[in-house]
Amino acid sequence: MFVDETMKGVMDATMNALYTEQIDVVAAEYAKIWDKLAEQATLRAVEVSLREAVDEQAEVHIGTLLAEEWADDAVDLMFEALIEAEVADEAHAQVQRDIDSGGGAEG
């Protein structure tokens, strides 16, 4: 009986050791899988952050280009207004000269 109980104890201990070893192997594999998943999640988060940063930079760049274009348009309009003002001033001066010389526009 003692031998049977001893053998049973040895068998139980051996089986427990094997189960523990298998559990450790499976746990190590799961840990590798979780590490890979965490790495992929981190890479995805970095990718999303980079895309957002690029989008923001693109918006800023587009805004800058539009502002430059609008500024150029405003400068063009200002020069056109100055030229028109000079033409109007010259026309007014000519009318005044005509009036002063007595040759005003008579209808």
Side-chain angles (χ1 to χ4, degrees):
M1 288 279 186
F2 178 73
V3 173
D4 288 340
E5 288 179 24
T6 302
M7 285 302 289
K8 184 177 183 306
V10 169
M11 287 298 292
D12 286 345
T14 302
M15 293 304 288
N16 284 337
L18 289 174
Y19 286 137
T20 301
E21 185 177 316
Q22 286 178 342
I23 289 170
D24 289 345
V25 168
V26 170
E29 289 301 314
Y30 274 116
K32 289 178 189 176
I33 291 169
W34 281 112
D35 286 346
K36 292 279 186 194
L37 290 173
E39 182 180 324
Q40 288 176 357
T42 300
L43 291 174
R44 179 70 178 137
V46 168
E47 178 186 3
V48 167
S49 294
L50 288 174
R51 283 188 183 179
E52 288 174 356
V54 167
D55 288 347
E56 287 175 17
Q57 287 298 319
E59 288 175 10
V60 168
H61 185 65
I62 289 168
T64 301
L65 292 175
L66 287 174
E68 289 173 359
E69 184 177 328
W70 293 336
D72 288 344
D73 290 346
V75 168
D76 291 344
L77 290 172
M78 183 181 68
F79 281 126
E80 287 175 20
L82 286 173
I83 291 168
E84 289 175 11
E86 285 180 19
V87 169
D89 285 347
E90 182 58 37
H92 177 69
Q94 183 62 44
V95 168
Q96 190 63 45
R97 283 192 296 273
D98 288 347
I99 291 172
D100 290 345
S101 68
E106 295 178 7

